[in-house]
Amino acid sequence: RAGEDGRPLPANTDNQYREAIAAALSRTIDKMGGPDRRILLIGGEVLTPCKKYEPEIRRLSIAPPPDCAPPTLAEVRTQTAPWNETFRSIKALYPDKVTTLFPEDYLCPNVCEVMNGDLWLFRDTGHLTVMGSELLGARAEDTLVSFLLGKPATSVGGNLR
């Protein structure tokens, strides 16, 4: 929904908000997406039930606290589906310009890991730690390099080790 000036009207629902964002992204791609431009859309956040813990506490505890059970891939896909579908629809409109990267494809083999060994991957419910970012980047390397080089990605999901 847009006003006469093309600006999105205030959203009253999550769907209206996603529609407004999709419309804004499309306008941005139309105006700024020249022949040499590529856009990377990163899908919905992988949300974990982990509450924010102070760094000192994290260093003392190797195991995740009881309220930090890793969500399953199915749970995360349900949660991220609305945004991921929005980004897939934008990619369908601009297949040569837009690349999508969905974090759960790289962080969630069957469950979404909250730790790798004794290192935390999330600093709170939806933000990765440096280790989490490095792991996502390593696993998504093919997609990221292909995006930067302007070539189609040869794999999705990376090496979920």
Side-chain angles (χ1 to χ4, degrees):
R1 299 177 356 173
E4 291 179 18
D5 61 358
R7 292 182 180 199
L9 296 173
N12 296 318
T13 67
D14 288 344
N15 283 340
Q16 289 174 338
Y17 180 68
R18 279 189 297 278
E19 288 171 6
I21 295 295
L25 281 170
S26 291
R27 285 193 306 276
T28 300
I29 293 167
D30 287 339
K31 289 183 180 182
M32 300 184 72
D36 297 332
R37 298 259 173 122
R38 293 181 303 283
I39 291 96
L40 176 65
L41 296 177
I42 299 177
E45 296 176 284
V46 173
L47 296 176
T48 67
C50 303
K51 294 188 172 109
K52 186 174 182 180
Y53 292 91
E54 295 301 320
E56 298 79 30
I57 295 171
R58 287 191 181 177
R59 280 196 294 269
L60 297 174
S61 175
I62 292 176
D67 64 347
C68 193
T72 67
L73 177 58
E75 291 168 337
V76 169
R77 288 214 191 280
T78 298
Q79 181 262 320
T80 61
W83 278 110
N84 289 353
E85 286 305 314
T86 299
F87 294 147
R88 282 185 186 100
S89 70
I90 293 169
K91 179 177 176 45
L93 294 173
Y94 305 94
D96 297 332
K97 292 186 182 303
V98 173
T99 298
T100 53
L101 186 150
F102 302 111
E104 69 262 23
D105 291 341
Y106 303 93
L107 295 174
C108 308
N110 293 312
V111 296
C112 299
E113 306 159 355
V114 294
M115 296 184 79
N116 185 2
D118 62 350
L119 298 173
W120 289 87
L121 300 180
F122 291 86
R123 79 173 167 86
D124 59 22
T125 58
H127 296 95
L128 294 169
T129 61
V130 171
M131 176 63 192
S133 298
E134 288 178 354
L135 185 67
L136 175 60
R139 289 178 176 176
E141 181 177 10
D142 181 62
T143 299
L144 294 170
V145 169
S146 295
F147 167 74
L148 292 171
L149 296 176
K151 299 178 180 179
T154 57
S155 68
V156 173
N159 181 10
L160 296 175
R161 47 181 138 73

